[in-house]
Amino acid sequence: MTQTTETPAASGPPPTRVPGGPGRAPRVHRAWFVAAVTFVTIIGAAAFASLPGLLIEPLHGEFHWSRGAIGFAVSVNLALYGLTAPFAAALMDRFGIRRVVAAALSVIALGSLLTVWMTATWQLVLYWGVLVGLGSGSMALAFAATVTNRWFVARRGLVTGILTAAGASGQLVFLPLLSWLVEHHGWRPAAVTVALAALAVVPFVWLLLRDHPADTGLAPYGGEYAEKPAPVTGAARRAVTVLLKAARTGPFWLLAGTFAICGASTNGLVKTHFVPAAHDHGMPVQAAAGLLAVIGVFDVVGTIASGWFTDRFSPRRLLAVYYALRGVSLLFLPMLMAPSVHPPMLFFIVFYGLDWVATVPPTIALCREHYGEDSAIVFGWVLASHQVGAAVIAFAGGVARDVFGSYDLVWYASGALCAAAALMALVIRRPGARPLPAV
């Protein structure tokens, strides 16, 4: 891999005081506390992401809904999660991070709570698909990208990896509990738990999170002090304008394409269908959910390590390696399914967990390289493609299971797509290199 050169700002000590302002610089920069609050917030909101894969079998058994119909509701959730993200990033510029995130958590809680009284598939689509999808989209990785861009100049890759890993940590915390609730008390208590977890985080966001370093009289970590910019009006217009501008460049389409495959092979496939697929082979639901939780453990390690690598190596080559390894692992998965957990399956879980969302830090770094101040919104649109890819596979996986009685075809297709993503990552040009033709 090609080692990149860090900017002087990234290596020097972070200025922390307003020029000419009184007082001594704090030993620990406030940016790290903001990052910690963001981490806890994403963990609390991650409960809702743990539930869809656990709902397929209980809803199919109670209401006799097809797996395709349930998968469609999940696909709406995933698609709106992505399509909302760029507008949420723009809304954070207009109204502030605290207001947007607090409102998003409240919408997640409302949608999850309403599912307790549903009796028809359209209600599942409305409550879980639309409401939770819109709320979760505002809590998407664009939130982490916005916090990182505002509060950090140095260590951006590392912080991005830590905040991205928060989602996996939330899955680790909630998935065993939710699977136990579903197994012993039904899916409704699990939905209520998700609602309460989202609401519990709101006070932390409102009281502890700050929108900009200037709010506390500080410079961003590793950067120089700057006044807080005025609120940006026309959030929706700005999000669309940034999309139209980015869509004229080749790197945007390559990033969007690779990230669509990333979403298809993670949230859409494994997070949604791994538990029912393992259950098809006789594995108990709690055991399969426990394996997903283990993925969450190793994802924390892999994503933080990926952030560290992104500060030091070519993000293009990192993406190519990540996608190639993921594709190989998915091709072997159908042969590893069994009624019980055995060493080869554990090896897959560890290997796949290290690669789960390791793609995020280098993808954000490439957005930052190519699109500068608009990078958070551009990444929001790239994330939209991630979730559209996830939505397609979440629906297609359910249909494939209904039609063929097996998920094997979906695993093999996803492995092949990951190989294509590895090649696409290598094609992304470096800033200043000869540009690709405009689209």
Side-chain angles (χ1 to χ4, degrees), residues 102-130:
L105 288 167
S106 301
V107 171
I108 290 170
L110 175 64
S112 183
L113 193 60
L114 287 174
T115 58
V116 172
W117 295 282
M118 67 182 179
T119 57
T121 53
W122 68 266
Q123 293 170 328
L124 177 64
V125 173
L126 175 61
Y127 301 153
W128 197 264
V130 176

Side-chain angles (χ1 to χ4, degrees), residues 120-214:
T121 53
W122 68 266
Q123 293 170 328
L124 177 64
V125 173
L126 175 61
Y127 301 153
W128 197 264
V130 176
L131 290 180
V132 177
L134 289 174
S136 61
S138 300
M139 284 292 301
L141 293 173
F143 170 40
T146 300
V147 170
T148 304
N149 288 347
R150 290 187 183 184
W151 281 90
F152 291 87
V153 173
R155 305 295 181 261
R156 277 177 169 171
L158 176 63
V159 175
T160 299
I162 292 172
L163 295 182
T164 302
S169 299
Q171 175 178 302
L172 167 65
V173 169
F174 289 104
L175 190 57
L177 170 63
L178 294 176
S179 64
W180 181 84
L181 286 173
V182 170
E183 188 78 12
H184 293 88
H185 301 284
W187 61 270
R188 289 178 178 84
V192 172
T193 301
V194 169
L196 294 177
L199 285 177
V201 183
V202 174
F204 290 94
V205 171
W206 195 256
L207 296 175
L208 301 177
L209 196 62
R210 292 295 178 266
D211 291 331
H212 195 276

Side-chain angles (χ1 to χ4, degrees), residues 99 175 200 266 344 376 387 420:
R99 293 179 180 178
L175 190 57
T266 54
Q387 295 307 115

Side-chain angles (χ1 to χ4, degrees), residues 324-373:
L325 293 176
R326 182 183 299 176
V328 171
S329 66
L330 286 173
L331 292 176
F332 281 98
L333 181 57
M335 294 178 281
L336 303 178
M337 291 292 186
S340 60
V341 179
H342 51 90
M345 174 60 82
L346 287 176
F347 179 79
F348 167 83
I349 292 298
V350 172
F351 188 87
Y352 196 82
L354 292 172
D355 199 352
W356 179 267
V357 288
T359 56
V360 174
T363 300
I364 291 179
L366 289 170
C367 288
R368 192 180 298 124
E369 282 184 20
H370 287 277
Y371 304 105
E373 294 181 356

